[in-house]
Amino acid sequence: MKILAIETSCDDTSVAIMDCDEKNWAIKTLSNVVSSQIAIHTKWGGVVPNLAAREHLKNLIPVLSEALEKSNQTINEIDLIAVTEGPGLIPALLIGTNGAKALAYTKNIALLGVHHVEGHLYANIINNDISQMKFPVLALTVSGGHTQIILMKDHLNYEIIGQTQDDAAGEAFDKVAKMLQLGYPGGPIVSEYAAKFDDAINSLKDSELKEELTCIKFPRPMLASGDFNFSFSGLKTSVLYFIRKIEQKNLSKEILELYKIAICYEFQNAAVDVLAKKMSKATEKLEPKTVIMAGGVSANSTLQNSLKNEISKKYPSINFINPTIKLCGDNAAMIGAAAFVKYQKLKEEGSLKTLKANWKKLEANSNLKLESY
Ligand code: KG4
Ligand code: ZN
């Protein structure tokens, strides 16, 4: 079957065409077009919801047309339309959901809404052997809006084991980048700066400065809390106080740049430390067969390596899966993958018929909760 998927929950307009083998549950991406709005939101230092909606409105049809063209399909070959119904920015979600509803109505195609995090989780099965995802699965979802540890005893079955009490991990990366005036989105820039740390320190002749930069220490919040919750606002505040302290020193541009590298390095280490160690503790307690990552921050190679090492060292029999880089951030292919699994469940129940009437019922919901099926 062919699925046309739409994602507009934040600042990426994306449409994907997926070719799904219903017998073997194999999901292939025929096209996955993502139109990023980074250039538009950069000057505001973050996503402006109404600007995002305006861009989605402008881009949705051209992106849809490009996705169909690249996949060599026409709309008449589509069996199911999938769309992110929430959570996300309501003006942005409304463009995708209404576009999907109009298309489903005019072409009489089945329509399914997908939870955004569910999409991130199922990015792990795209172009991948689904049998690798052995249950129970323990997932770390880390994005700009979410940081959760989720236990999946089966497909579409979610139990939230822990979550952030304040900022999401990606949000903390973005805020640190903003404080350091490094640009938006912060995650990739902070990790690029952090990657320069070793070379910068090794080539430094001033031993006093070297000592100072290597001794920067930020807290690892809630590491010993005994639960699986997170908090990133205290870490962010520590970074802010440190920046304020060094701002008073009137440093040269070159030395300030070295401080920025060292701050990004230690901030990333602190965030990754907490995420990887909490996941390790959750793995010890819940004994999953597979550990997966999901969401934009899962593109961070330090986090990937740290969690992978932690799991392979302590629990060598557990399968560790991470989406490919292109599928870590927001994209429509992941929405199509989750919709495919939902569709199979509905088929088993014999309730596929209801999907054709979904153009009447589906509503964007900015606070949509992740619910088991
Ligand atoms: O999943 P996503 O694309 O959108 C949301 O659902 O929020 O995640 C975006 C978040 C942003 O906060 C971005 O800074 C972060 O993912 N991110 C990263 C990296 N790449 C993206 N954070 C850390 N390291 C990265 N390499
Ligand atoms: Zn996302």
Side-chain angles (χ1 to χ4, degrees):
M1 67 179 290
K2 305 277 185 329
I3 300 178
L4 183 152
I6 300 175
E7 153 66 39
T8 66
S9 67
C10 191
D11 60 342
D12 291 297
T13 315
S14 182
V15 178
I17 311 294
M18 314 297 286
D19 188 4
C20 306
D21 174 348
E22 291 182 77
K23 213 167 124 216
N24 303 309
W25 281 44
I27 304 175
K28 224 167 73 186
T29 310
L30 298 182
S31 65
N32 185 21
V33 180
V34 182
S35 169
S36 162
Q37 303 175 5
I38 287 175
I40 285 141
H41 299 289
T42 294
K43 59 173 176 267
W44 307 101
V47 181
V48 184
N50 283 343
L51 273 184
R54 191 186 73 185
E55 291 305 302
H56 286 312
L57 196 55
K58 207 158 70 184
N59 296 332
L60 185 58
I61 303 299
V63 168
L64 183 116
S65 147
E66 188 184 334
L68 281 169
E69 202 174 301
K70 280 195 169 150
S71 67
N72 277 324
Q73 306 293 312
T74 67
I75 190 73
N76 299 323
E77 282 148 305
I78 301 299
D79 304 291
L80 174 71
I81 295 173
V83 66
T84 308
E85 55 183 335
L89 307 169
I90 197 70
L93 287 165
L94 282 169
I95 307 299
T97 49
N98 282 302
K101 285 164 79 167
L103 205 55
Y105 168 67
T106 50
K107 291 287 172 184
N108 192 27
I109 303 173
L111 174 66
L112 245 179
V114 172
H115 190 285
H116 183 76
V117 167
E118 203 162 37
H120 277 304
L121 292 167
Y122 277 99
N124 282 290
I125 62 166
I126 300 171
N127 307 330
N128 209 346
D129 178 2
I130 193 157
S131 64
Q132 280 194 30
M133 200 156 154
K134 289 193 180 69
F135 293 99
V137 169
L138 194 65
L140 176 65
T141 61
V142 270
S143 70
H146 296 88
T147 299
Q148 294 174 323
I149 297 181
I150 298 172
L151 179 69
M152 292 173 71
K153 291 194 178 126
D154 199 352
H155 282 298
L156 308 175
N157 183 293
Y158 313 106
E159 189 186 336
I160 297 173
I161 301 301
Q163 58 193 330
T164 184
Q165 309 293 292
D166 38 60
D167 291 353
E171 197 180 352
F173 272 89
D174 293 340
K175 285 179 177 166
V176 166
K178 198 170 179 177
M179 287 178 217
L180 293 170
Q181 297 174 341
L182 296 179
Y184 177 85
I189 314 172
V190 167
S191 81
E192 245 174 65
Y193 262 69
K196 296 181 194 168
F197 182 75
D198 285 342
D199 283 348
I201 290 297
N202 290 336
S203 58
L204 201 60
K205 301 242 166 14
D206 179 340
S207 58
E208 207 177 304
L209 181 60
K210 200 174 197 165
E211 165 91 8
E212 210 172 313
L213 293 176
T214 45
C215 286
I216 297 173
K217 208 82 197 131
F218 295 133
R220 270 72 175 152
M222 295 184 78
L223 196 55
S225 63
D227 56 21
F228 301 115
N229 291 326
F230 301 96
S231 164
F232 291 101
S233 81
L235 170 59
K236 183 191 68 189
T237 309
S238 295
V239 175
L240 178 67
Y241 288 160
F242 188 81
I243 295 172
R244 284 198 184 143
K245 214 168 71 190
I246 59 162
E247 268 170 358
Q248 287 163 2
K249 290 189 182 182
N250 257 331
L251 300 168
S252 70
K253 223 172 144 193
E254 289 73 24
I255 294 184
L256 194 60
E257 192 68 4
L258 287 173
Y259 267 98
K260 286 187 181 184
I261 291 171
I263 291 169
C264 287
Y265 177 77
E266 172 56 12
F267 161 75
Q268 179 173 272
N269 281 347
V272 165
D273 231 19
V274 180
L275 290 167
K277 293 210 169 112
K278 287 243 163 169
M279 263 307 268
S280 178
K281 281 184 193 162
T283 304
E284 187 184 347
K285 183 169 175 206
L286 300 161
E287 301 181 335
K289 291 205 171 97
T290 314
V291 167
I292 64 173
M293 277 215 283
V297 186
S298 68
N300 185 289
S301 56
T302 307
L303 176 59
Q304 283 174 16
N305 294 335
S306 184
L307 187 55
K308 208 163 152 181
N309 288 342
E310 189 87 18
I311 300 297
S312 64
K313 235 191 304 160
K314 292 193 184 155
Y315 322 99
S317 63
I318 294 178
N319 223 1
F320 176 81
I321 320 179
N322 199 58
T324 53
I325 284 282
K326 266 183 88 174
L327 296 173
C328 287
D330 290 349
N331 69 89
M334 67 184 200
I335 302 302
F340 172 71
V341 178
K342 280 183 141 182
Y343 187 90
Q344 296 311 311
K345 281 266 171 183
L346 291 169
K347 194 163 86 176
E348 277 167 29
E349 286 169 11
S351 40
L352 283 181
K353 269 192 189 148
T354 58
L355 299 186
K356 287 238 169 136
N358 266 354
W359 65 268
K360 276 188 229 163
K361 297 183 217 151
L362 196 139
E363 294 283 351
N365 180 351
S366 60
N367 294 314
L368 191 68
K369 297 273 168 290
L370 183 65
E371 272 175 20
S372 297
Y373 226 64

